[in-house]
């Protein structure tokens, strides 16, 4: 089956569910080293996307990502709103006139992550969502270079996302609100890394389901 934007209603629903089901845990994480609003910020964006699902599913990927990015930018708020907005808008630009097979998508996603790094003036190892987003980009590129099956690439990517999220626990935060705590930021998983991992794993689960269920 083709992975078209008709998957978006199912993907957005899966993301809404995983954030809702883990809301308490994420809030505890964000209260420990942030200001505790991360789930509420994200859920505002997800709610706005839920209203747009019918429209989104009729677009091409580049137009859909542009619209998702604009919605995230204008509704989420906080650091994460502008960073996710930047991710999707940069992916939309990179996706224009590109064939979105595994190698094309790996390139598009990597350019999106590059834009997030620039926007946040951050990189891996600073205890942010980038500790999930960047390893996932590397994993996609590697799977594409090896000519991996899509389901294999997706399974690996989910594992890498979990490892990236876990890696933030012992890091010192050097960006965002958590950086104000300096050494006291160690010992807590970053809330933004946790939500990035949960959303990515939810997407992977939906895609593997679609790819492996009979048409
Ligand atoms: P705010 O920190 O403005 O309240 P949120 O609570 O919605 O915004 O999001 C916080 C998350 O954003 C952090 O947990 C971290 O993962 C991510 N973050 C913060 N600053 C940066 C940055 N400069 N680069 C990348 N990610 C960042
Ligand atoms: Mg916050």
């Amino acid at each position: 089956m083709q992975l078209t934007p008709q998957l978006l209603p199912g993907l957005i629903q899966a993301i809404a569910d995983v954030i809702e089901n883990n809301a308490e845990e994420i809030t505890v994480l964000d209260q420990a080293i942030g200001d505790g609003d991360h789930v509420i910020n994200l859920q505002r964006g997800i709610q706005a996307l839920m209203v747009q699902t019918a429209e989104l599913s009729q677009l091409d990927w580049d137009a859909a990502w542009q619209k998702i990015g604009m919605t995230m930018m204008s509704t989420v708020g906080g650091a994460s709103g502008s960073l996710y907005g930047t991710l999707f808008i940069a992916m939309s630009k990179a996706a224009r006139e590109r064939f979105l097979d595994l190698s094309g998508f790996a390139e598009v996603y990597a350019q999106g992550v590059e834009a997030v790094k620039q926007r946040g003036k951050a990189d891996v190892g600073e205890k942010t969502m980038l500790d999930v987003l960047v390893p996932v980009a590397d994993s996609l590129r590697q799977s594409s270079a090896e000519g991996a099956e899509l389901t294999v690439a997706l399974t690996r990517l989910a594992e890498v996302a979990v490892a990236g999220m876990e890696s933030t626990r012992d890091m010192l935060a050097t960006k965002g609100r958590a950086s104000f705590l300096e050494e006291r930021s160690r010992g807590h998983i970053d809330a933004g890394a946790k939500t990035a991992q949960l959303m990515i794993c939810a997407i992977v689960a939906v895609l593997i389901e679609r790819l492996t269920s009979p048409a």
Side-chain angles (χ1 to χ4, degrees):
M1 93 138 247
Q2 287 262 30
L3 300 181
T4 70
Q6 298 208 344
L7 287 165
L8 280 169
L11 291 171
I12 293 166
Q13 184 65 55
I15 286 171
D17 291 344
V18 80
I19 296 301
E20 178 64 32
N21 294 337
N22 292 275
E24 235 169 279
E25 185 191 341
I26 302 158
T27 297
V28 169
L29 294 176
D30 196 34
Q31 280 168 344
I33 56 171
D35 57 357
D37 64 349
H38 182 56
V39 165
I40 295 168
N41 290 343
L42 268 188
Q43 285 185 324
R44 210 167 31 240
I46 294 165
Q47 281 309 318
L49 291 177
M50 297 278 264
V51 177
Q52 300 171 353
T53 51
E55 195 185 336
L56 286 169
S57 68
Q58 299 306 312
L59 300 172
D60 291 333
W61 279 117
D62 66 314
W65 285 329
Q66 174 71 23
K67 192 166 175 62
I68 290 170
M70 296 298 283
T71 300
M72 298 296 270
M73 197 72 97
S74 63
T75 60
V76 177
S80 56
S82 81
L83 295 168
Y84 276 113
T86 298
L87 173 71
F88 285 105
I89 290 167
M91 282 176 64
S92 166
K93 284 205 189 96
R96 278 174 213 148
E97 290 164 40
R98 190 190 287 270
F99 182 60
L100 292 175
D101 55 3
L102 178 56
S103 120
F105 180 76
E107 206 40 55
V108 164
Y109 176 75
Q111 289 194 33
V113 173
E114 202 48 51
V116 174
K117 282 190 193 176
Q118 284 174 22
R119 174 90 193 199
K121 299 188 174 57
D123 209 331
V124 274
E126 298 197 84
K127 204 179 182 90
T128 71
M129 61 171 74
L130 283 168
D131 293 304
V132 172
L133 302 185
V134 172
V136 164
D138 294 342
S139 167
L140 271 170
R141 270 189 170 148
Q142 174 152 3
S143 290
S144 145
E146 289 170 7
E149 289 274 345
L150 197 46
T151 49
V152 173
L154 287 165
T155 305
R156 273 186 198 162
L157 181 162
E159 288 165 6
V160 162
V162 171
M165 174 275 287
E166 289 286 351
S167 76
T168 65
R169 187 192 307 272
D170 295 326
M171 286 177 188
L172 176 74
T174 46
K175 290 282 151 49
R177 288 178 200 283
S179 65
F180 306 152
L181 293 176
E182 300 181 353
E183 279 298 328
R184 280 177 293 135
S185 67
R186 288 196 210 270
H188 307 275
I189 288 169
D190 172 61
K194 180 74 187 177
T195 53
Q197 175 260 313
L198 288 171
M199 293 192 282
I200 287 167
C201 289
I203 291 170
V204 164
V206 170
L207 296 183
I208 289 183
E209 233 272 321
R210 293 297 167 97
L211 288 165
T212 56
S213 65

